Amino acid sequence: MKPSSHGPAAADTSHAPAAARPPDGTAAGPSADAAAGPVVSAAKAAVTALYEAHALGMIRLAHIMLGDRQSAEDVVQEAFCGLYRRWSHLADPGSAVHYVRSAVLNHCRSVLRRRATSWAPRGLASHPETVRSAESAMLTREERDEIMRAVRRLPPRQREALVLRYYLDLSAEETATTMGISPSSVRSATHRALASLGRVLQEQS
């Protein structure tokens, strides 16, 4: 089962076995569902539907934050598995996509912290591949790589706000919910991110 590829910046998942199917926790067969009852069946159906609709967008988010596809797939898989395990405890199932997006962002933060404390950090230049988007299609590969490296050099909050607002096209309110900050803080972080990104790109030109 593959997530929908609709959207302007669909990622190439042809080599993405971990992200090409719903989380393992949702993969039980019909007999298992019948034994577990309607609650588990409903959770499986709901999480699978969310996965199909949003997995590629989540992978794109994690890919930009982390710089490599395998790590992006891993954190998305972990986030959806966590959603499935916690489904019965959600106060509002309608907010599940916000839960997953926040979980992906938090997992990315954890990965970046581990990298920062590692004796062998993964350099930005070691991941030249970028996620293609409609906006970047007219840029050369070198230019896209330069922009993505510049984005990853931004302070964490600025980078997160920029990616959520302008790459995933979330509103300030949705971005605030995902990041756990106020909409005004999102707007402030986004403004600073754009200014910093402009300076960095100008210095490199």
Side-chain angles (χ1 to χ4, degrees):
M1 182 178 299
K2 295 183 179 180
S4 171
S5 60
H6 296 301
D12 176 11
T13 58
S14 59
H15 302 289
R21 61 183 185 277
D24 293 340
T26 68
S31 59
D33 286 344
V39 174
V40 173
S41 297
K44 175 187 174 183
V47 174
T48 298
L50 283 170
Y51 186 89
E52 291 175 342
H54 298 287
L56 285 178
M58 302 295 180
I59 292 169
R60 292 197 294 269
L61 166 62
H63 196 165
I64 292 176
M65 297 300 298
L66 300 176
D68 87 273
R69 183 166 55 190
Q70 185 58 59
S71 294
E73 293 166 358
D74 290 345
V75 299
V76 170
Q77 190 81 356
E78 186 174 351
F80 274 97
C81 286
L83 174 64
Y84 178 72
R85 291 191 297 268
R86 296 171 177 80
W87 184 263
S88 63
H89 302 292
L90 290 180
D92 177 16
S95 66
V97 66
H98 300 299
Y99 170 91
V100 175
R101 195 179 289 126
S102 295
V104 169
L105 196 57
N106 286 332
H107 289 319
C108 287
R109 290 167 178 167
S110 296
V111 171
L112 292 172
R113 282 195 296 268
R114 289 195 296 270
R115 289 181 182 177
T117 57
S118 172
W119 284 103
R122 303 169 75 170
L124 291 171
S126 67
H127 301 291
E129 182 180 359
T130 60
V131 182
R132 293 187 62 88
S133 68
E135 294 79 10
S136 69
M138 297 179 65
L139 300 175
T140 66
R141 183 183 183 87
E142 181 179 353
E143 288 170 332
R144 293 197 308 274
D145 292 346
E146 182 177 311
I147 291 172
M148 298 314 298
R149 285 193 294 269
V151 168
R152 294 185 188 114
R153 291 192 187 102
L154 293 171
R157 177 175 287 196
Q158 293 182 24
R159 180 175 64 244
E160 292 168 5
L162 188 70
V163 171
L164 291 169
R165 285 285 284 119
Y166 295 111
Y167 196 83
L168 292 191
D169 199 28
L170 301 184
S171 67
E173 290 71 22
E174 291 171 323
T175 301
T177 298
T178 300
M179 295 178 65
I181 60 179
S182 68
S184 61
S185 295
V186 168
R187 285 187 280 269
S188 177
T190 302
H191 176 77
R192 291 196 298 271
L194 290 172
S196 297
L197 189 60
R199 286 195 298 271
V200 169
L201 293 175
Q202 187 173 18
E203 290 170 0
Q204 293 177 352
S205 62

